[in-house]
Amino acid sequence: GAGVSQSPSNKVTEKGKDVELRCDPISGHTALYWYRQSLGQGLEFLIYFQGNSAPDKSGLPSDRFSAERTGGSVSTLTIQRTQQEDSAVYLCASSFKETSGYTFGSGTRLTVV
Amino acid sequence: AQTVTQSQPEMSVQEAETVTLSCTYDTSESDYYLFWYKQPPSRQMILVIRQEAYKQQNATENRFSVNFQKAAKSFSLKISDSQLGDAAMYFCAQETNSGYALNFGKGTSLLVTP
């Protein structure tokens, strides 16, 4: 597609459930990023994928968070045993070169009740 | 730790006027990239402008320009001839030492009044 696609757009889940958030980057973009945006805050780096290299997972806040990228394209961010503090907008971005600036998706708003 | 500070939580400008959004950052690197992103209510972050630190010339993109003061670690965004469609949250971001992750400020909410 022409842009970065994220699904679902909104997700409401019960505390303790697992959720999967999907990101489909721009075709040809080898770099993919996940960020978290909590209410009234800036963006917090979560994870970075580049081609077939090992991902940089240093921003993941706990071991309940994991992400994978299949075939160098689609990525899934999984949050296990969700907590209320996980409520946020999760933004995915991709880029051709890291310094060219990201193209972001519209994000998934996750609400844990 | 590298930090990005946007000291203006909210700004207001009248249509057709000019507004400047402030941003300061902290780094020990000599070459790095700086960015301004716009986030309208649709949530999608849109790249407005970027600046490479070793280039002394200020970046411009149509009505958007920056005032980059490397020694002062200041990177302000000027919006000329403001339009209603410019209303959004604006985030300043700095490339981290990783070369790919960005540190973002907390944003400035820009209101444009007719």
Side-chain angles (χ1 to χ4, degrees):
Chain A
V4 177
S5 178
Q6 290 190 248
S7 61
S9 179
N10 294 283
K11 176 73 176 179
V12 180
T13 189
E14 291 182 351
K15 179 180 172 182
K17 299 283 190 182
D18 297 352
V19 295
E20 285 189 351
L21 313 180
R22 177 188 168 104
C23 173
D24 200 343
I26 290 175
S27 178
H29 280 191
T30 57
L32 186 146
Y33 318 78
W34 284 96
Y35 282 79
R36 178 168 70 175
Q37 183 177 24
S38 301
L39 185 63
Q41 300 295 313
L43 277 67
E44 171 191 13
F45 169 77
L46 296 178
I47 190 168
Y48 161 75
F49 295 91
Q50 172 56 269
N52 295 320
S53 302
D56 177 357
K57 304 180 180 181
S58 61
L60 295 178
S62 79
D63 58 8
R64 295 185 296 104
F65 288 71
S66 63
E68 64 177 20
R69 188 178 184 190
T70 54
S73 181
V74 173
S75 177
T76 302
L77 177 68
T78 301
I79 309 173
Q80 296 178 309
R81 304 181 303 280
T82 51
Q83 304 294 313
Q84 287 187 329
E85 60 262 29
D86 299 334
S87 295
V89 174
Y90 289 83
L91 290 162
C92 176
S94 69
S95 68
F96 178 66
K97 288 175 60 177
E98 285 77 1
T99 55
S100 60
Y102 302 166
T103 300
F104 280 89
S106 295
T108 295
R109 180 179 298 280
L110 176 66
T111 304
V112 182
V113 297
Chain B
Q2 295 174 310
T3 57
V4 177
T5 302
Q6 294 180 249
S7 59
Q8 307 150 314
E10 293 180 353
M11 291 284 285
S12 181
V13 63
Q14 280 194 319
E15 224 177 340
E17 297 296 309
T18 296
V19 64
T20 298
L21 309 184
S22 301
C23 173
T24 58
Y25 60 93
D26 184 26
T27 183
S28 57
E29 300 293 315
S30 59
D31 193 21
Y32 47 88
Y33 283 83
L34 297 163
F35 305 86
W36 278 98
Y37 282 89
K38 168 185 178 182
Q39 187 179 40
S42 67
R43 286 200 315 241
Q44 184 176 19
M45 301 277 284
I46 301 164
L47 178 64
V48 174
I49 200 165
R50 71 179 182 128
Q51 173 84 41
E52 186 168 7
Y54 84 82
K55 290 185 178 178
Q56 297 192 357
Q57 185 174 8
N58 289 323
T60 62
E61 288 288 342
N62 301 313
R63 298 183 294 106
F64 298 87
S65 62
V66 299
N67 183 5
F68 174 49
Q69 302 290 328
K70 190 173 183 180
K73 296 180 182 174
S74 171
F75 182 60
S76 59
L77 175 69
K78 185 171 83 171
I79 306 173
S80 304
D81 185 27
S82 296
Q83 300 176 0
L84 294 177
D86 295 334
M89 284 291 289
Y90 286 82
F91 291 92
C92 178
Q94 172 198 5
E95 178 192 33
T96 67
N97 296 339
S98 69
Y100 46 81
L102 300 181
N103 274 338
F104 285 82
K106 293 188 175 182
T108 296
S109 177
L110 178 66
L111 176 66
V112 182
T113 57

